[in-house]
Amino acid sequence: MNASVKPNDWSAYPDAKGRFGDYGGLYVAETLMPLVLELDRAYTEAKNDPKFQAELKGYLTHYVGRPSPLYFAERLSKHLGGAKIYFKREELNHTGAHKINNCMGQILLAQRMGKTRIIAETGAGQHGVASATVTARFGLPCVVYMGAVDVARQKPNVFRMNLLGAEVRPVTSGAATLKDAMNEAMRDWVTNVADTYYMIGTAAGPHPYPAMVRDFQAVIGSETREQIQELEGRLPDAVVACVGGGSNAIGMFHPFLNDETVKIYGVEASGHGLETDKHAASLTGGRPGVLHGNKTYLLQDDDGQILDAHSISAGLDYPGIGPEHSFLHDVGRAQYLTCTDAEALEAFQLCAELEGIIPALESAHALAKLPQLAKEIGEGGVIVLCLSGRGDKDIFTVADALGRTI
Amino acid sequence: MSVSYRDGTRLERAFQRENDHRALFIAYVMAGDPDLETSFEILKGLAEHADVIELGMPFSDPMAEGPTIQLASQRSLAAGTKMRDVLGLVRRFREINTVTPIVLMGYLNPVLFHGYGAFANDAADAGADGVIIVDCPPEEADPLTDALEAARMNLIRLATPTTDDKRLPAVVARTSGFIYYVSVAGVTGVLEADAEAVRGPVERLRAASGLPVAVGFGIKTPERAAQVARVADGVVVGSALVDEIAAAAKMNKNVTEKVLLKASELAKAVRSARLEMA
């Protein structure tokens, strides 16, 4: 651990080497090393440049639609009978999820660095759509790598990306899902080092991505802090968010890390169940390893080969997790729960029926833990849930799982 | 500074045997591709042609590889190859060959999973001589390097067209055996190396490290191998050999025969370049 950091200052990571305790770091091929080091310098400069921050704030306000509302979910709170539940409405952002917060920051940085071509990876297609959106807005060519399996099951998002002018390249290697798309994006980057900017969609990858993506997403938690104090006159007792790579979660958590009264809960996808080989719970069911440029918890077999993840929610279907979550898990500052496909489906429907909000299946994983948390925190308590995305994209998956035809 | 061991390692001796004008032919194949038994036959035969053998350790997510070696990794894993099988292959090879150095090449996670110390000791004990880990840059390499040095194994670092003067000292520090120059910015086996363009970088790396410099990542044909052999201390060919394995396996032909034929052509080309220079 970094000696210059106060022992209880959880927000001061990563250290100069890009590490969150043992996690994070810079595990990339030599060809990419000068590029990630350059990115680190450029990001540090931009972060400290008031002009960059003002420009970002302008686009977040007028293009993305921030601040997103903090909404008291009255009927759900009453139904569960315990703490008051608030939703941080990230699903109301332009493109329907939190992903755009990060893409807006990164596209401004890419332009500042003089990059002329953007590449991105996507699983469900939400980050791909957000990337295609900002590249359309700023007139840069965009190539999105997407596993061939995901291309087949997320056709509407593929069409959206095409409408926005992005080229979607299906990836057939490996299991042809998100991790393979990320491998292929890194292969593109290593081949096009001079002009290409790699827009990673989650708070993972080599340093500075985990810190940078977190910073761009921390607008979620910062707004929540202000809004809840206005509404309740105090901080919440708990914040909760779903965790795949974990960018919406770290964005919500980070501004609360040093508030010891605020409990922090992440929810991993346990798919068909932790006891099966079909889940995506890297913290609960994995162990530390190195993949995609960082050291973090990973699903792996008994010989260090990375396993394929499974979740009904394509956005959580990744065998790793952002390194800061690994750190927060180990030091115990955040607790990580799990939610099965079936529990998420139930919560998805409950939210739609009680609140008139169709949540993303990703967010439904966090929703599913509310009955337990509302009871634990109890009456008089306050919980904020990050409603990271809207569920329109998931209606086919849900219909299929419920045995209905649309 | 780069590292050298007392009395030299098998790998260091291999480079010392040749004078300045002689490049070594370094042949890469994936351990367990298409299966362990064939892999052993290939290694046995390859030693007739190659001066050094680079043996790939399969990984589920080989981020620096082009399609050829990605598929080799998948074939090997599908055949059930484990780290202990890779090292077992080296051990069997050592029973019949004590001269040809073997360099293990792969990705960090399976090595980390095994444990750095255990991996270094087990690999050295099996008879491997060096290790190349693609996704472990100098910034993260100290714990692995400590373990390898304790086991008298060579750690070979990659230098690339993007390695600038500022990074060069870090890249050559604690490197031993040789420096592997990645001749193209890209993945293995896709772009082709420009023999003339590598001359400058090879000389720069040699001067900075005091070590021999081998060139790889874009050498597919005997002609190109011969050209690179005139400027480098070693010529690495991987994808072109693995392509032969894939094609033969697909058509049910004798895999070993096909890959060794290709290896002999490449070896001949590298040697003829040596003779011209001598």
Side-chain angles (χ1 to χ4, degrees), chain A residues 99-318:
Chain A
K99 292 288 184 191
I100 191 102
N101 302 330
N102 167 45
C103 290
M104 191 49 82
Q106 288 204 52
I107 193 77
L108 294 181
L109 181 62
Q111 286 191 307
R112 194 181 156 102
M113 293 175 73
K115 300 293 180 183
T116 53
R117 175 176 177 266
I118 305 293
I119 56 171
E121 84 294 334
T122 198
Q126 292 309 99
H127 173 61
V129 168
S131 300
T133 299
V134 298
T135 49
R137 170 61 186 78
F138 291 95
L140 292 180
C142 179
V143 173
V144 179
Y145 289 94
M146 187 168 183
V149 168
D150 291 333
V151 168
R153 64 181 173 182
Q154 301 286 342
K155 280 190 183 130
N157 271 343
V158 174
F159 187 62
R160 268 183 204 115
M161 288 184 264
N162 288 335
L163 280 177
L164 292 160
E167 177 193 346
V168 178
R169 289 193 191 160
V171 176
T172 53
S173 61
T177 56
L178 177 56
K179 102 181 150 74
D180 310 290
M182 200 148 174
N183 291 334
E184 209 54 36
M186 294 191 103
R187 291 181 188 119
D188 180 312
W189 199 20
V190 92
T191 310
N192 300 288
V193 292
D195 63 348
T196 297
Y197 182 93
Y198 181 17
M199 192 174 278
I200 294 186
T202 193
H207 179 69
Y209 284 102
M212 175 171 72
V213 175
R214 172 201 71 199
D215 292 349
F216 289 139
Q217 293 294 0
V219 67
I220 301 172
S222 305
E223 285 176 6
T224 300
R225 266 185 86 91
E226 281 181 27
Q227 290 166 322
I228 196 73
Q229 293 191 84
E230 247 165 60
L231 291 165
E232 290 285 338
R234 66 178 183 97
L235 293 178
D237 299 291
V239 292
V240 53
C242 64
V243 184
S247 69
N248 91 88
I250 203 69
M252 173 60 92
F253 297 172
H254 198 259
F256 292 105
L257 287 180
N258 286 335
D259 299 309
E260 285 181 16
T261 60
V262 181
K263 293 194 170 96
I264 295 177
Y265 297 98
V267 184
E268 296 192 284
S270 53
H272 294 185
L274 283 173
E275 70 288 356
T276 71
D277 61 357
K278 296 239 177 306
H279 66 81
S282 357
L283 286 177
T284 315
R287 54 179 281 177
V290 168
L291 181 72
H292 293 151
N294 58 185
K295 186 189 267 191
T296 192
Y297 277 79
L298 300 168
L299 300 180
Q300 18 186 339
D301 72 4
D302 60 1
D303 207 39
Q305 305 294 340
I306 309 303
L307 294 171
D308 295 316
H310 164 82
S311 168
I312 189 168
S313 142
L316 303 181
D317 198 348
Y318 179 67

Side-chain angles (χ1 to χ4, degrees), chain A residues 47-109:
Chain A
K47 189 168 68 174
N48 297 316
D49 180 353
K51 258 173 61 190
F52 177 83
Q53 294 295 351
E55 193 185 4
L56 175 57
K57 186 147 198 255
Y59 284 111
L60 289 179
T61 305
H62 303 290
Y63 189 71
V64 175
R66 303 208 69 90
S68 67
L70 185 67
Y71 160 75
F72 174 41
E74 194 179 350
R75 292 194 70 216
L76 184 66
S77 301
K78 199 169 286 170
H79 176 80
L80 296 176
K84 285 175 85 171
I85 291 155
Y86 283 86
F87 290 166
K88 179 61 174 164
R89 304 283 306 271
E90 289 302 301
E91 100 282 9
L92 293 178
N93 293 335
H94 181 39
T95 72
H98 70 291
K99 292 288 184 191
I100 191 102
N101 302 330
N102 167 45
C103 290
M104 191 49 82
Q106 288 204 52
I107 193 77
L108 294 181
L109 181 62

Side-chain angles (χ1 to χ4, degrees), chain B residues 162-193:
Chain B
T162 59
T163 306
D164 53 25
D165 286 339
K166 222 174 118 196
R167 283 191 60 69
L168 192 54
V171 169
V172 302
R174 303 191 77 182
T175 303
S176 63
F178 65 95
I179 304 264
Y180 187 138
Y181 181 62
V182 174
S183 60
V184 292
V187 294
T188 49
V190 176
L191 300 169
E192 229 183 326

Side-chain angles (χ1 to χ4, degrees), chain A residues 320-338:
Chain A
I321 186 166
E324 194 163 9
H325 289 293
S326 293
F327 170 67
L328 295 174
H329 167 76
D330 277 15
V331 299
R333 177 60 189 102
Q335 287 181 59
Y336 293 86
L337 314 171
T338 61

